Amino acid sequence: MMPGIVSDRLTAGQVVDNLDVFGEPETGAPTRVTLQFRTCLSFGELLALLVFTPGLNLLWEELDDDDAVRWAVHFAALTADVMDLYYLAAYATALYQGAEVVETGRVYPTVDGEYLTAVGRAVTRVFGVAA
């Protein structure tokens, strides 16, 4: 199943000047509008976002912090490539379940099995979904 954005309606907040994408002041930044949208993500997609997003490195102790996990998913979702996420989710789920990884011709990153399991437990605890 392909991930997608589902929205009953897209809401926009006030127009804000000089803020970067995370809401921090930045001189000369373009004018931005606050948007809220809903997305539907599977266990595998959440797992892949948290494990394979470049620049996102949740420490072991942060996996016990629900707010840190939620923030990490928000960051990862903003930077994710939807097509890559589709394949990475299947790969991450296969690794998590100990199943055979289906050959797709892609080169996948490696990940420590214990860390992957810990992230999977955090996903289940925080978001209520399981593999």
Side-chain angles (χ1 to χ4, degrees):
M1 181 174 135
M2 291 293 296
I5 295 174
V6 177
S7 178
D8 298 329
R9 66 188 163 121
L10 191 63
T11 58
Q14 70 183 42
V15 175
V16 182
D17 286 325
N18 299 325
L19 291 181
D20 69 11
V21 74
F22 297 106
E24 298 295 324
E26 183 177 318
T27 304
T31 300
R32 297 188 183 271
V33 177
T34 303
L35 296 178
Q36 294 179 356
F37 59 91
R38 193 177 319 180
T39 185
C40 299
L41 298 168
S42 68
F43 173 86
E45 291 159 345
L46 290 164
L47 187 62
L49 285 171
L50 291 171
V51 173
F52 299 124
T53 297
L56 177 66
N57 302 300
L58 279 173
L59 302 175
W60 285 90
E61 57 271 11
E62 290 176 311
L63 294 175
D64 294 328
D65 181 345
D66 292 2
D67 289 333
V69 173
R70 280 189 207 93
W71 179 90
V73 168
H74 285 263
F75 171 81
L78 283 172
T79 63
D81 178 311
V82 176
M83 291 307 296
D84 283 342
L85 181 58
Y86 176 78
Y87 292 105
L88 285 170
Y91 172 65
T93 302
L95 289 178
Y96 183 81
Q97 294 176 329
E100 184 176 332
V101 175
V102 177
E103 179 57 43
T104 62
R106 294 174 174 262
V107 177
Y108 294 110
T110 57
V111 61
D112 176 71
E114 284 185 60
Y115 183 73
L116 185 72
T117 301
V119 173
R121 281 193 218 115
V123 166
T124 299
R125 185 189 72 248
V126 173
F127 299 104
V129 294

